[in-house]
């Protein structure tokens, strides 16, 4: 079980992701505002952060960049889950430090697979 913070301003998508990952055995909190999410992530130190790109307050890539600068959080895995695809968007997120990038709409099984993979890869990075 991983403690996951999902930052998403679309309530329906937030509920769907929370349900899918909870059924997969994870504890998921959803936050709908970028600035509040950044502060919560810094305080709670989750096992995984899932970020949308477009958010009120801080944007997803800005949260990611800020997390990579914080001691104690710079190794926290981050999965970008966003409707914005395209090579430039993916490259920007990966260069900012994302561990993976998944475009909406997505298959629930694919989300669970990607989350598990990012978490597993992070165990090797920390060892």
């Amino acid at each position: 079980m991983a403690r996951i913070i999902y930052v998403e301003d679309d309530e329906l998508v937030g509920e769907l992701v929370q349900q899918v990952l909870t059924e997969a055995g994870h504890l998921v909190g959803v936050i709908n505002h970028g600035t509040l999410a950044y502060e919560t992530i810094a305080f709670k130190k989750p096992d995984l952060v899932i970020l949308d790109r477009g958010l009120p307050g801080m944007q997803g890539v800005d949260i990611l960049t800020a997390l990579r600068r914080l001691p104690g959080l710079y190794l926290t895995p981050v999965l970008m889950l966003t409707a914005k695809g395209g090579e430039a968007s993916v490259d920007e997120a990966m260069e900012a430090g994302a561990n993976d990038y998944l475009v909406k709409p997505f298959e629930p099984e694919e989300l669970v697979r990607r989350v598990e993979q990012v978490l597993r890869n992070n165990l090797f990075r920390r060892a």
Side-chain angles (χ1 to χ4, degrees):
M1 176 187 80
R3 295 174 308 114
I4 300 170
I5 292 180
Y6 178 36
V7 188
E8 171 63 66
D9 61 334
D10 183 320
E11 190 176 331
L12 246 57
V13 176
E15 288 175 6
L16 172 65
V17 168
Q18 186 175 39
Q19 179 182 352
V20 166
L21 294 178
T22 298
E23 288 174 3
H26 302 292
L27 181 61
V28 183
V30 181
I31 302 173
N32 65 4
H33 190 276
T35 307
L36 175 61
Y38 174 74
E39 293 167 358
T40 304
I41 293 163
F43 179 73
K44 296 272 186 179
K45 297 179 176 49
D47 301 315
L48 172 68
V49 175
I50 303 175
L51 294 172
D52 188 13
R53 286 186 73 94
L55 299 162
M58 264 176 110
Q59 297 293 302
V61 173
D62 296 330
I63 295 170
L64 173 57
T65 301
L67 291 176
R68 293 299 181 234
R69 293 184 182 141
L70 287 178
L73 282 173
Y74 68 93
L75 289 178
T76 301
V78 175
L79 168 66
M80 297 297 296
L81 178 58
T82 180
K84 189 169 184 178
E87 192 173 330
S89 296
V90 174
D91 288 347
E92 178 188 25
M94 298 307 276
E95 287 172 14
N99 297 81
D100 200 357
Y101 196 102
L102 183 59
V103 178
K104 301 174 198 168
F106 57 89
E107 292 295 325
E109 298 81 17
E110 179 68 5
L111 173 63
V112 171
R113 189 184 72 72
R114 296 283 193 96
V115 164
E116 298 294 335
Q117 182 177 4
V118 167
L119 288 167
R120 193 171 39 254
N121 290 346
N122 193 57
L123 289 176
F124 293 119
R125 282 179 59 192
R126 290 185 179 210

